[in-house]
């Protein structure tokens, strides 16, 4: 831990960050195991089939059966999971002094999240089950095309329709910062990308900087908790990093990677689910009562591929860091903003390599600071060499 302190991280805060990380990890293992067990029990004890039979007493229209099955099933799961979510998202966040949110605001957010995800999941499930019924052999390829288009639309509307449901935001008003940004955008050959302030301070103490959106909705988003607590040099650095993501077209690349993984997931589902479904004595794959098994399959699939996705993401983050260091040329501001961000967000700056490989979508704070120090050393050496040559 000592070298972490010499890099500028707060030793005590970092100790708490490690503790917090372990707490969350243990919790997610419990949540996953319980969900796994619950789905198997729901299927084994015929609860899923009973729900479908109950609904079919009232209607025989396929899409209505699916909608009601999902509405009842999803609401049930949501209520069951609520205490665990409350512990993880509210109590734990307050215990570690990360949250500023009131209980009322939290439950309100949960309800909004529930409605939103219900509508989105319903859309996806209705279309996939329609394809399973109508074009059974190629359901997965057409589903893949649909999912890819769906994820592009989601990326496009996220900053203008989805994120404002939870956080208010507005274009930044600081003229000085705006001017500097335009200078960078010019230097980076980027035409127009707006910078927005997101008001997260009423809910969390964490600081956030991100690039979001596609085409005309593309924008850099900085939280109020960041804009209010960081120096102009540090904020400039963070904007430079986000510009790096923009220049390297990382959002587009993430969408393509996501689409490729989705192709693999749907292909595997097509190959494996038939057998699984027969094992649990369902007549056909398009039986809506088998939906929890599909859910379980994709939960496992995404868990297995997440270290690969994280590795790709860490590489993109390194690229954006390098881009920022070269564009802004202020490694000291980079280093101080990095140590501040890790401490503020209670992010373990020096995780075990296995933990970093499995769960970290950004390189560890320690690695990022060391990288900036190397960069600083290089420009210093170059300056000395140049001045020797100049003499
Ligand atoms: Zn980034």
């Amino acid at each position: 831990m000592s070298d972490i302190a010499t890099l500028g991280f707060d030793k005590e805060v970092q100790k708490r960050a490690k503790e917090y990380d372990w707490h969350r990890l243990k919790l997610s293992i419990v949540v996953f195991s319980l969900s796994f067990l619950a789905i198997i029990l729901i299927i084994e004890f015929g609860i899923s089939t009973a729900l479908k039979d109950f609904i079919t007493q009232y209607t025989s229209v396929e899409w209505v059966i699916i909608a009601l099955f999902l509405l009842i099933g999803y609401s049930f799961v949501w209520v069951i999971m609520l205490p665990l979510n409350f512990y993880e998202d509210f109590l734990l966040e307050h215990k570690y002094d990360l949250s500023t949110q009131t209980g009322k605001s939290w439950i309100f957010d949960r309800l909004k999240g529930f409605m939103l995800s219900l509508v989105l999941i319903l859309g996806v499930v209705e279309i996939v089950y329609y394809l399973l019924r109508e074009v059974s052999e190629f359901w997965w390829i057409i589903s893949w095309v649909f999912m890819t288009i769906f994820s592009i639309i989601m990326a496009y509307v996220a900053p203008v329709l989805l994120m404002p449901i939870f956080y208010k935001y507005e274009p930044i008003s600081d003229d000085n910062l705006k001017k500097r940004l335009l200078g960078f955008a010019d230097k980076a050959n980027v035409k127009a990308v707006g910078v927005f302030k997101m008001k997260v301070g009423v809910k969390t103490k964490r600081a956030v900087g991100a690039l979001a959106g596609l085409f005309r909705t593309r924008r850099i988003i900085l939280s109020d908790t960041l804009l209010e607590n960081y120096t102009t040099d540090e904020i400039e650095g963070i904007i430079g990093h986000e510009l790096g993501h923009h220049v390297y077209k990382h959002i587009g690349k993430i969408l393509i990677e996501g689409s490729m993984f989705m192709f693999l997931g749907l292909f595997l589902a097509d190959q494996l689910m038939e057998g699984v479904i027969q094992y649990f004595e369902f007549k056909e794959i398009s039986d809506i009562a088998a939906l929890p098994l599909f859910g379980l399959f994709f939960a496992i699939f995404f868990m297995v591929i997440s270290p690969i996705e994280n590795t790709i993401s860490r590489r993109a983050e390194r690229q954006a860091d390098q881009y920022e260091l070269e564009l802004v040329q202020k490694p000291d501001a980079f280093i101080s903003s990095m140590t501040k961000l890790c401490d503020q967000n209670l992010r373990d700056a020096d995780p075990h390599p296995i933990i970093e490989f499995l769960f970290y979508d950004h390189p560890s704070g320690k690695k990022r600071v060391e990288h900036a120090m190397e960069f600083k050393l290089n420009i210093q050496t170059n300056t000395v060499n140049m001045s020797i040559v100049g003499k």
Side-chain angles (χ1 to χ4, degrees), residues 241-242 245 317 320 362:
H241 173 96
E242 304 307 335
H245 283 311
E317 294 301 334
H362 284 61

Side-chain angles (χ1 to χ4, degrees), residues 268-281:
L268 288 176
D270 182 57
Q271 297 291 306
L272 302 172
M273 285 310 283
E274 197 83 54
V276 175
I277 275 161
Q278 272 165 14
Y279 174 82
F280 284 101
E281 294 171 358

Side-chain angles (χ1 to χ4, degrees), residues 209-211 241-242 245 250 313 316-318 320-321 362 368:
L211 178 74
H241 173 96
E242 304 307 335
H245 283 311
H250 283 151
S313 168
E317 294 301 334
R318 254 195 310 276
D321 277 354
H362 284 61
R368 296 176 82 179

Side-chain angles (χ1 to χ4, degrees), residues 25-193:
L25 180 62
K26 280 189 277 186
L27 202 62
S28 50
I29 292 170
V30 169
V31 170
F32 190 84
S33 313
L34 282 179
S35 311
F36 184 90
L37 199 69
I39 288 176
I40 298 298
L41 290 178
I42 282 170
I43 299 290
E44 265 303 300
F45 286 108
I47 298 168
S48 192
T49 306
L51 175 61
K52 191 194 83 177
D53 291 345
F54 171 74
I55 295 165
T56 46
Q57 282 176 2
Y58 300 95
T59 177
S60 59
V61 184
E62 288 288 351
W63 74 267
V64 180
I65 296 172
I66 290 173
L68 288 174
F69 182 89
L70 201 71
L71 178 69
I72 298 169
Y74 191 56
S75 307
F76 180 72
V77 171
W78 188 81
V79 171
I80 295 283
M81 295 303 282
L82 197 60
L84 257 175
N85 283 329
F86 181 68
Y87 177 71
E88 188 179 13
D89 256 18
F90 189 82
L91 294 180
L92 204 62
E93 294 293 289
H94 275 281
K95 185 184 168 208
Y96 282 94
D97 200 23
L98 285 164
S99 178
T100 51
Q101 195 169 20
T102 61
K104 198 173 142 193
S105 157
W106 183 85
I107 193 75
F108 217 62
D109 270 1
R110 276 277 142 189
L111 283 168
K112 285 192 279 188
F114 168 74
M115 307 280 255
L116 185 66
S117 53
L118 183 66
V119 170
L120 296 179
I121 294 171
L122 185 61
V124 170
V125 169
E126 286 284 7
I127 289 178
V128 171
Y129 273 81
Y130 173 80
L131 294 169
L132 278 169
R133 290 195 304 271
E134 301 300 322
V135 282
S136 56
E137 210 180 324
F138 301 111
W139 73 273
W140 66 279
I141 296 189
I142 305 173
S143 294
W144 169 67
V145 174
F146 161 71
M147 300 280 222
T148 299
I149 296 169
F150 181 74
S151 62
I152 293 169
I153 295 171
M154 283 296 115
Y156 183 80
V157 301
V160 284
L161 280 182
L162 305 184
M163 287 151 80
I165 297 176
F166 300 97
Y167 298 104
K168 286 191 184 127
Y169 63 106
E170 57 194 34
I172 52 160
S173 48
D174 183 337
D175 283 335
N176 183 28
L177 201 61
K178 257 201 263 183
K179 219 157 71 192
R180 292 220 210 179
L181 165 80
L182 287 176
F184 280 143
D186 216 34
K187 226 165 129 184
N189 237 337
V190 172
K191 277 208 184 81
V193 53

Side-chain angles (χ1 to χ4, degrees), residues 151 245 250-265 298-318 347 355-363:
S151 62
H245 283 311
H250 283 151
I251 291 189
K253 285 177 186 165
I254 286 168
L255 282 172
I256 293 169
E257 281 153 16
S259 173
M260 282 160 63
F261 281 126
M262 189 48 84
F263 186 86
L264 179 66
F298 278 102
I300 294 171
F301 175 75
F302 286 120
M303 192 179 71
V304 170
I305 64 158
S306 83
I308 308 171
E309 286 188 309
N310 285 338
T311 304
I312 295 169
S313 168
R314 285 196 304 272
R315 211 190 60 190
E317 294 301 334
R318 254 195 310 276
R347 194 157 171 86
I355 297 286
E356 186 177 356
F357 171 72
L358 291 176
F359 305 112
Y360 274 52
D361 55 2
H362 284 61

